[in-house]
Amino acid sequence: MRILMVGDVVGRPGRYFFMEQTPELKAAKNIDMVIVNGENAAHGKGLTPGIFAELVRGGADVVTTGNHIWDNPTVLQIIDSEPFLLRPANYPEDSPGKGFCIYPVGKKKIGVINMSGRTFMQPLMDDPFRLGDKIVSFLKKNCALIFIDFHAEATSEKLAFAHYFDGQVTAVVGTHTHVQTADEKILPKGTAYISDLGMVGAENSILGVEIEPVIKKFLTGRPSKFEVAEGAAVYCALLIETDDKTDKVIKIERIFIKP
């Protein structure tokens, strides 16, 4: 089984490059399933029904999100009805949507969990470790493979979370920082890991947005309106291959594509 996990898609340049590259990747590398973070796909913040449909047409099977999931209120039109659109599971229980799903690939069932970190993040999140225990225990009864998108800021929290679930899930990948890290590895008990997948967004940018407003904010300390940067994009992802008989991770490949 080959699963592609794709970093945060940022705005129109990211969406278009995702839709251009993903079908080619799926064909070239015999990919069975694509999981992509779409929380920045709508003008850099949030997700709309139309843009969710674009990502699906472009090859996404499951779309995860993060702290920007509520930034575009039109997502509320679909978040309860789309079975493979996720928001972080550790939002309050009465939040719209869901934090995990089961996706069928052939005869196998694949569990996907979306979880948010708490260090330097919004304080309303429940404990991802203890909640993760409950969700993983449930999914292990039904799924051959389990993948977690851990949307978090601190590398230490990401590493701690991954080691905590090492051997219990197939992969823990970090999202949120938009900068692809070079620390992809298979942990001692068999779980695939990378601190951050990176992004699919304009290369000549700061995390996918225009450069000058970000510099202005640092120089002045005052609010500055950020706009999605245009131009050629990069595509960041991690390809995880598992053994069809044992369901163990046998290979991982960091993907970085630029025009």
Side-chain angles (χ1 to χ4, degrees):
M1 184 80 67
R2 291 185 166 201
I3 309 292
L4 185 71
M5 301 191 77
V6 186
D8 303 50
V9 174
V10 184
R12 182 171 57 186
R15 297 198 310 272
Y16 286 7
F17 204 46
F18 174 82
M19 291 186 287
E20 174 188 313
Q21 293 294 321
T22 303
E24 296 180 12
L25 270 174
K26 290 178 75 172
K29 294 185 176 291
N30 299 313
I31 292 168
D32 299 291
M33 180 183 175
V34 176
I35 303 166
V36 59
N37 190 294
E39 74 145 9
N40 299 118
H43 312 297
K45 285 189 175 183
L47 188 65
T48 69
I51 288 173
F52 173 78
E54 279 188 7
L55 295 177
V56 172
R57 288 196 302 271
D61 296 305
V62 175
V63 176
T64 56
T65 59
N67 56 300
H68 289 301
I69 179 59
W70 314 119
D71 285 4
N72 193 307
T74 62
V75 75
L76 296 173
Q77 299 172 16
I78 59 170
I79 199 164
D80 283 320
S81 59
E82 290 291 348
F84 305 122
L85 170 60
L86 304 181
R87 48 85 173 159
N90 51 334
Y91 269 106
E93 288 185 4
D94 58 354
S95 298
K98 58 219 160 279
F100 65 93
C101 68
I102 298 175
Y103 187 87
V105 178
K107 295 182 179 180
K108 290 184 183 287
K109 293 181 179 179
I110 312 300
V112 182
I113 304 171
N114 195 179
M115 197 71 78
S116 177
R118 296 190 295 177
T119 304
F120 309 125
M121 300 287 285
Q122 296 179 72
L124 74 166
M125 305 290 187
D126 289 337
D127 179 359
F129 292 80
R130 290 181 173 84
L131 179 59
D133 275 333
K134 296 177 183 178
I135 298 173
V136 168
S137 293
F138 170 77
L139 291 178
K140 285 173 73 173
K141 299 174 184 176
N142 300 277
C143 299
L145 307 171
I146 301 173
F147 296 83
I148 303 180
D149 175 345
F150 191 46
H151 198 76
E153 182 79 23
T155 303
S156 59
E157 187 180 20
K158 293 177 181 182
L159 278 164
F161 187 85
H163 279 284
Y164 185 77
F165 287 104
D166 186 17
Q168 300 184 62
V169 303
T170 309
V172 173
V173 302
T175 57
H176 181 61
T177 69
H178 295 202
V179 177
Q180 187 182 66
T181 55
D183 62 342
E184 73 277 11
K185 67 189 78 175
I186 298 174
L187 297 176
K189 297 178 183 178
T191 293
Y193 172 78
I194 188 170
S195 289
D196 204 280
L197 291 174
M199 70 172 181
V200 185
E203 180 181 25
N204 188 26
S205 71
I206 294 178
L207 309 185
V209 303
E210 291 179 347
I211 294 170
E212 289 306 318
V214 179
I215 294 175
K216 181 180 177 181
K217 182 177 180 181
F218 280 110
L219 286 174
T220 66
R222 297 192 298 271
S224 184
K225 186 178 181 180
F226 295 168
E227 298 286 353
V228 172
E230 297 295 332
V234 295
Y235 188 115
C236 301
L238 187 72
L239 178 58
I240 301 156
E241 184 176 352
T242 61
D243 184 280
D244 288 335
K245 293 182 179 179
T246 66
D247 294 324
K248 301 295 185 183
V249 177
I250 55 176
K251 183 181 179 182
I252 58 175
E253 178 186 356
R254 179 161 47 93
I255 305 291
F256 181 85
I257 303 170
K258 58 184 294 184

